[in-house]
């Protein structure tokens, strides 16, 4: 029996894709590829800006740097395989490849859950305790928070991935999704997985509850502090400091709430794939754009870097013209 299960589980899966039978796969490929390239580019630029510009060497941007790293890895473990499948007749993924995809996906989503919660705490300290901010958010604290986010996410990955992949999968090997998302994979199991799905649901709710609690308490205190401010300029700065984070949190947690909290009666394969596409493809693109377009420090750092690049290009062109 065990040998049979191992044999079944060693067989490749088939990913049916975002759209099962697309009429124009080339158009979908072009759109997804464009989003992928732009998303990776803007996240890499964000990471470079934070590392290069000394004005961005603060706890908030240290966390933004980690967010961009997570988003870059996140989109790279999903989209390249999706693009390959759009151009290939064989849309298979190996058992091991599926397990790796699940582990990395669960780890990064979990890490981002915790990171966004801790970023809300950072904003709370910045607005409500500005004088104590250098002490409360020193480098050691920031490193501990980042390591805690990665640890929490990887713990989730180490727990859920082995259990998911030890179920026997037989019969149809077609996953009605564009990547190995756990609920879609479990539908192929030969045995009843309802108990595991209930436990997984409870785990996801707990993972959402912890950062959402931190975010709710932090922003409640921020709103109280802002309401007590007499200076309109102070209120404007406080809202500007927090608005980008609130927008990112709303987008990410909104999709996570649908996927992990709403009961199965609200789910269909088509809806699940659309929501998954939103937070696996679009969210990594939107996050750095929201922070860069709504943040004067990032915009100034980008202008400074572009100014250096154009000036070096101009000097190089002048040197070439002198030689000739």
């Amino acid at each position: 029996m065990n040998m049979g299960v191992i044999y079944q589980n060693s067989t490749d899966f088939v990913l049916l894709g975002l759209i099962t039978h697309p009429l124009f796969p080339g158009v979908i490929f072009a759109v997804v590829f464009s989003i992928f390239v732009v998303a990776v580019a803007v996240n890499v630029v964000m990471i470079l800006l934070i590392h290069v510009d000394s004005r961005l060497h603060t706890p908030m941007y240290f966390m933004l740097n980690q967010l961009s790293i997570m988003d870059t890895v996140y989109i790279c473990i999903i989209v390249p395989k999706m693009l390959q499948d759009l151009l290939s007749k064989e849309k298979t993924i190996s058992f091991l490849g599926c397990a790796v995809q699940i582990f990395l996906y669960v780890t990064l989503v979990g890490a981002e859950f915790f990171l966004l919660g801790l970023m809300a705490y950072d904003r709370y300290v910045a607005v409500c305790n500005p004088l104590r901010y250098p002490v409360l958010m020193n480098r050691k604290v920031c490193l501990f928070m980042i390591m805690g986010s990665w640890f929490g996410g990887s713990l989730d990955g180490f727990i859920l991935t082995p259990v998911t992949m030890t179920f026997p999968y037989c019969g149809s090997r077609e996953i009605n999704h564009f990547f190995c998302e756990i609920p879609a994979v479990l539908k192929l199991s030969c045995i009843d997985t309802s108990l595991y799905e209930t436990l997984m649901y409870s785990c996801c709710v707990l993972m959402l509850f912890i950062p959402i609690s931190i975010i709710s308490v932090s922003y409640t205190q921020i709103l109280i502090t802002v309401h007590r401010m007499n200076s309109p300029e102070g209120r404007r700065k406080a809202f500007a400091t927090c608005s980008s984070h609130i927008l990112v949190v709303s987008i990410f947690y909104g999709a996570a709430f649908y996927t992990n909290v709403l009961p199965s009666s609200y789910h269909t394969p088509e809806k699940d794939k659309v929501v998954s596409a939103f937070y696996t493809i679009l969210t990594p693109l939107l996050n750095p754009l929201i922070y860069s377009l709504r943040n004067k420090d990032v915009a100034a750092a980008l202008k400074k870097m572009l100014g250096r690049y154009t000036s070096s290009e101009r000097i190089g062109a002048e040197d070439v013209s002198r030689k000739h």
Side-chain angles (χ1 to χ4, degrees), residues 155-195:
L155 183 65
D156 202 29
F158 278 117
I159 292 172
L160 295 181
T161 306
V163 179
T164 300
M165 303 313 289
T166 51
F167 285 110
Y169 295 102
C170 52
S172 173
R173 312 292 294 187
E174 295 181 343
I175 300 173
N176 191 7
H177 217 297
F178 58 90
F179 73 102
C180 289
E181 193 170 42
I182 291 178
V185 173
L186 290 176
K187 290 178 181 178
L188 306 183
S189 177
C190 305
I191 63 174
D192 182 24
T193 61
S194 56
L195 177 60

Side-chain angles (χ1 to χ4, degrees), residues 98-110:
C98 192
V100 170
Q101 199 174 64
I102 288 175
F103 173 75
L104 292 174
Y105 160 75
V106 171
T107 296
L108 288 161
V109 169

Side-chain angles (χ1 to χ4, degrees), residues 59 121 125 129-142:
Y121 172 75
V125 177
N129 296 284
L131 298 179
R132 298 181 63 195
Y133 184 78
V135 176
L136 295 175
M137 292 299 297
N138 60 54
R139 187 167 183 81
K140 287 185 179 179
V141 172
C142 291

Side-chain angles (χ1 to χ4, degrees), residues 6-80:
I6 292 171
Y7 174 75
Q8 289 169 345
N9 283 352
S10 65
T11 308
D12 292 348
F13 292 104
V14 177
L15 295 169
L16 296 183
L18 179 61
I19 301 173
T20 307
H21 300 291
L23 294 176
F24 305 103
V27 174
I28 299 173
F29 178 90
V31 172
V32 175
F33 179 74
S34 300
I35 294 172
F36 172 71
V37 170
V38 174
V40 172
V42 293
N43 276 290
V44 169
V45 167
M46 194 79 171
I47 294 167
L48 289 174
L49 285 176
I50 292 170
H51 278 281
V52 170
D53 199 303
S54 59
R55 291 173 298 178
L56 304 183
H57 293 174
T58 64
M60 182 180 76
Y61 293 108
F62 182 61
M63 293 186 186
L64 279 178
N65 178 64
Q66 292 297 312
L67 182 64
S68 289
I69 291 172
M70 289 176 185
D71 283 339
T72 303
V73 178
Y74 187 51
I75 197 171
C76 286
I77 63 174
I78 304 294
V79 175

Side-chain angles (χ1 to χ4, degrees), residues 107-122:
T107 296
L108 288 161
V109 169
E112 195 157 331
F113 279 161
F114 290 119
L115 182 65
L116 290 173
L118 293 171
M119 287 173 71
Y121 172 75
D122 171 74

